[in-house]
Amino acid sequence: MGSRIAAFRFCAAFNSSPAIRHALQARVSAVLTQFQLGAACNALHPVEARLARWRLHLRDRIGHDVLLLTQEALAQNTRLGDDRR
């Protein structure tokens, strides 16, 4: 569940609260780590492993095993269309 806050109020809260600053920095670090792992996975693993990782990640996000996807969506989200292996 998300909320909205004016940018100036967020900046003020960020600057005045070590707890908010720490929480945001931890989240940014976690997201960057995910991106790095994804890039490494895409560079080092074959198509089947990348697809399996992406499907498990999607399953975790939606909370069930039924994934209604087109081949185009799979290709876009796993970069299978660019695979040269």
Side-chain angles (χ1 to χ4, degrees):
M1 178 180 219
S3 300
R4 288 185 179 223
I5 183 172
F8 74 93
R9 286 187 184 193
F10 177 78
C11 288
F14 180 85
N15 290 329
S16 66
S17 171
I20 291 174
R21 202 167 32 255
H22 177 74
L24 186 60
Q25 289 168 341
R27 177 64 180 147
V28 168
S29 179
V31 170
L32 289 175
T33 299
Q34 261 189 330
F35 286 150
Q36 290 170 335
L37 289 173
C41 181
N42 288 341
L44 299 173
H45 295 101
V47 169
E48 295 84 4
R50 293 185 346 238
L51 179 58
R53 180 181 182 276
W54 182 79
R55 289 175 59 201
L56 287 171
H57 186 82
L58 183 60
R59 180 178 170 254
D60 288 346
R61 285 188 174 201
I62 64 173
H64 56 81
D65 292 331
V66 178
L67 305 174
L68 301 175
L69 301 168
T70 64
Q71 288 178 339
E72 182 180 354
L74 284 173
Q76 288 175 347
N77 288 298
T78 58
R79 299 180 186 171
L80 295 178
D82 296 338
D83 193 60
R84 304 287 190 259
R85 292 187 234 190

